[in-house]
Amino acid sequence: MATRPSTFPLQRIIFLAVSVVLCVQVGWWFNVQIRESSRLMEARIRALRATRAEAWQLDGLSLLSHLHTRPDPSSRTGVIEGRLPNLPDLEQRRKRIQGRYPHVAVVPAPIALDDPALLDGAAYLTLRPEPILELENQRWHTVFRAVTEGAFMVVVVLSGLVLLYRKLSEELDLRLRQRNFTSAVTHELKTPIASLKVWTETLFTRTLPDDQRARIRDLMERDLERLNELVGNLLDVARAESGNLVIHPEPLELEPWLRGVCEAMDHRLGAGALGLRLEFSSEAIWTHADPKALGTVIENLLSNAFKYAADPRETTVTLDGDGEDVLIVVSDLGHGLSAKDLPRLFHRFFRVGDEMTRQVAGTGLGLFLVKEIVIRHGGEVRASSRGLGLGSAFTVRLPRLPRPADA
Ligand code: ADP
């Protein structure tokens, strides 16, 4: 079995690098947004402070203009008058300031450290808290928006990347499985052909006793059967892929039919080699199925139970009714399956990538075909295993058919 192509880690590295660049980019973008909003807020507060200074200047100028107003000396010649300056009323000044500068308040005592006293010390100017609070709110709003937009952006882009990554992984995986498949099929074709060639040469070039000729004939038949099975499977897979795998269902009593298929398969694999145990329900169980296609399903499952278990094998086939369904379970005590392989078991070309599977000839098409045929019967097939070394079980569920009246 080939190893994963070297592009796989490269693909992962690219994915990780793009994700890191994206996160750094978004982090930088957050930073810019937060800094810019702080700067904007500071500028606005400075502008507010400028209006407070302007208010202070306005009030100061009005005071100074009052202080410097002198009576016309020519009107009261020789009279020196001492008069206190007639300063405008503080309430009037407050109204004037607040009318013109709505964000500035005239207060008796400073509220902020830098609140300036009016020129005559009668009160202080401070900035109202509302606009500053509003600015603060606006700033947090901007930051919140930046964070949510950024998070949304990251989620969208990362989801896209994950999808892309998965798609690429699937593509690469399929390509790898196809490559394995090509070498497996080549091997599967070459081995029986080579052996047939040797037997043909032996038969035609040497005079052999009858018992040896009979043994060679058996071996040749087995090779031909292997080739026939492989080509049949390949044709069925091609049909399934193009949607042309047509089945011809008919009412089928499962007990005698299944017994026949299992026993024939046991015989083909070498009498007793499967360690076959049949546990069939005593009631008559019927389904609507194509005997040939369903036979392919059972043969593939039994062939796997043979291939992926060591001698002495124990293969159990059970047949039972389950409400409106029929259950056929083929289980073995062989190599077993790990939980991580179960979801991909019925994929085209999939073969478990361990040492044990590598030593066994196969194309990774058998279970795909099993699934396609069972689906066409309106049923489903599941695999289960208690773990590596603990055997496997394949359960085929088909709709049950009431016993036909004429049966
Ligand atoms: P193939 O047997 O030609 O490789 P299949 O599609 O029949 O292809 O099986 C796919 C893979 O599932 C096999 O390569 C094997 O690793 C695993 N498998 C199938 N049946 C069994 C089983 N009974 N026990 C352990 N592993 C199995």
Side-chain angles (χ1 to χ4, degrees):
M1 190 156 192
T3 47
R4 277 187 186 285
S6 57
T7 42
F8 210 73
L10 179 69
Q11 183 202 0
R12 262 187 204 166
I13 290 169
I14 292 174
F15 175 74
L16 272 176
V18 173
S19 309
V20 169
V21 168
L22 176 76
C23 289
V24 169
Q25 190 75 19
V26 170
W28 175 79
W29 184 72
F30 281 161
N31 195 10
V32 168
Q33 291 291 319
I34 291 169
R35 262 203 336 245
E36 282 307 304
S37 64
S38 301
R39 259 188 222 148
L40 193 67
M41 168 137 168
E42 273 165 27
R44 283 178 178 168
I45 289 178
R46 269 203 297 277
L48 283 176
R49 286 202 187 112
T51 61
R52 186 180 60 182
E54 221 177 277
W56 183 88
Q57 275 178 349
L58 180 87
D59 186 67
L61 278 176
S62 79
L63 285 183
L64 286 174
S65 70
H66 271 280
L67 286 172
H68 287 96
T69 305
R70 291 278 181 272
D72 183 1
S74 58
S75 60
R76 307 280 302 267
T77 326
V79 180
I80 295 171
E81 263 183 78
R83 274 200 300 165
L84 280 172
N86 192 11
L87 290 177
D89 177 33
L90 183 61
E91 199 46 41
Q92 273 179 10
R93 285 157 64 198
R94 182 199 306 270
K95 275 189 190 146
R96 194 161 159 231
I97 289 172
Q98 290 178 351
R100 194 148 170 192
Y101 303 99
H103 298 327
V104 178
V106 179
V107 287
I111 292 170
L113 280 178
D114 59 347
D115 282 347
L118 293 176
L119 206 57
D120 58 350
Y124 289 82
L125 291 184
T126 192
L127 288 174
R128 289 186 184 286
E130 297 87 356
I132 294 178
L133 279 177
E134 200 184 311
L135 285 179
E136 193 73 39
N137 278 345
Q138 273 174 9
R139 180 170 167 244
W140 282 116
H141 191 252
T142 311
V143 170
F144 177 74
R145 218 183 55 196
V147 170
T148 44
E149 277 174 6
F152 180 72
M153 218 159 72
V154 169
V155 168
V156 167
V157 176
L158 278 184
S159 311
L161 277 176
V162 168
L163 276 183
L164 205 68
Y165 177 74
R166 282 213 183 139
K167 201 82 208 125
L168 272 174
S169 301
E170 273 169 24
E171 283 288 315
L172 282 173
D173 210 39
L174 184 66
R175 234 192 300 157
L176 173 73
R177 283 190 273 135
Q178 259 165 339
R179 214 165 65 187
N180 293 345
F181 164 76
T182 312
S183 57
V185 168
T186 315
H187 175 79
E188 286 282 281
L189 286 171
K190 272 174 99 177
T191 313
I193 289 174
S195 130
L196 281 169
K197 197 169 165 235
V198 170
W199 297 134
T200 320
E201 274 171 15
T202 314
L203 282 179
F204 285 104
T205 54
R206 287 172 43 190
T207 317
L208 296 168
D210 282 353
D211 61 329
Q212 269 196 37
R213 289 176 75 86
R215 211 175 68 79
I216 290 178
R217 203 190 59 207
D218 279 353
L219 291 171
M220 287 177 84
E221 261 176 17
R222 207 171 280 179
D223 283 335
L224 283 171
E225 217 160 80
R226 197 168 149 189
L227 280 175
N228 193 29
E229 198 178 301
L230 176 65
V231 173
N233 268 357
L234 288 174
L235 275 175
D236 282 346
V237 167
R239 286 194 195 108
E241 281 180 332
S242 60
N244 290 330
L245 182 64
V246 184
I247 58 162
H248 304 284
E250 58 186 66
L252 183 68
E253 186 180 2
L254 283 169
E255 198 270 37
W257 170 83
L258 189 56
R259 188 177 295 279
V261 173
C262 291
E263 283 169 358
M265 193 64 187
D266 189 38
H267 179 72
R268 259 169 62 191
L269 294 169
L274 270 172
L276 200 59
R277 223 173 60 207
L278 305 179
E279 293 177 2
F280 292 176
S281 162
S282 53
E283 54 174 338
I285 295 178
W286 288 73
T287 189
H288 208 229
D290 179 333
K292 190 166 174 293
L294 202 57
T296 306
V297 168
I298 304 299
E299 283 166 8
N300 268 295
L301 295 179
L302 287 174
S303 158
N304 282 349
F306 176 80
K307 286 196 298 184
Y308 302 108
D311 243 351
R313 297 178 184 81
E314 244 183 72
T315 312
T316 309
V317 181
T318 64
L319 167 67
D320 219 335
D322 181 26
E324 305 208 321
D325 292 335
V326 172
L327 294 184
I328 302 173
V329 184
V330 177
S331 56
D332 61 65
L333 297 180
H335 184 53
L337 291 154
S338 68
K340 76 170 179 19
D341 290 322
L342 288 177
R344 296 196 295 159
L345 217 54
F346 296 93
H347 288 186
R348 226 171 6 142
F349 311 129
F350 177 79
R351 301 201 76 208
V352 172
D354 63 13
E355 200 51 45
M356 157 79 189
T357 299
R358 255 175 264 178
Q359 290 165 3
V360 178
T363 55
L365 288 179
L367 290 181
F368 171 73
L369 194 57
V370 164
K371 185 192 74 181
E372 293 294 319
I373 294 175
V374 172
I375 287 175
R376 277 165 181 77
H377 281 86
E380 59 170 33
V381 55
R382 281 176 194 280
S384 61
S385 172
R386 280 183 291 131
L388 287 179
L390 298 172
S392 330
F394 290 82
T395 306
V396 177
R397 182 180 284 274
L398 297 168
R400 189 171 179 167
L401 191 70
R403 185 193 185 106
D406 56 346

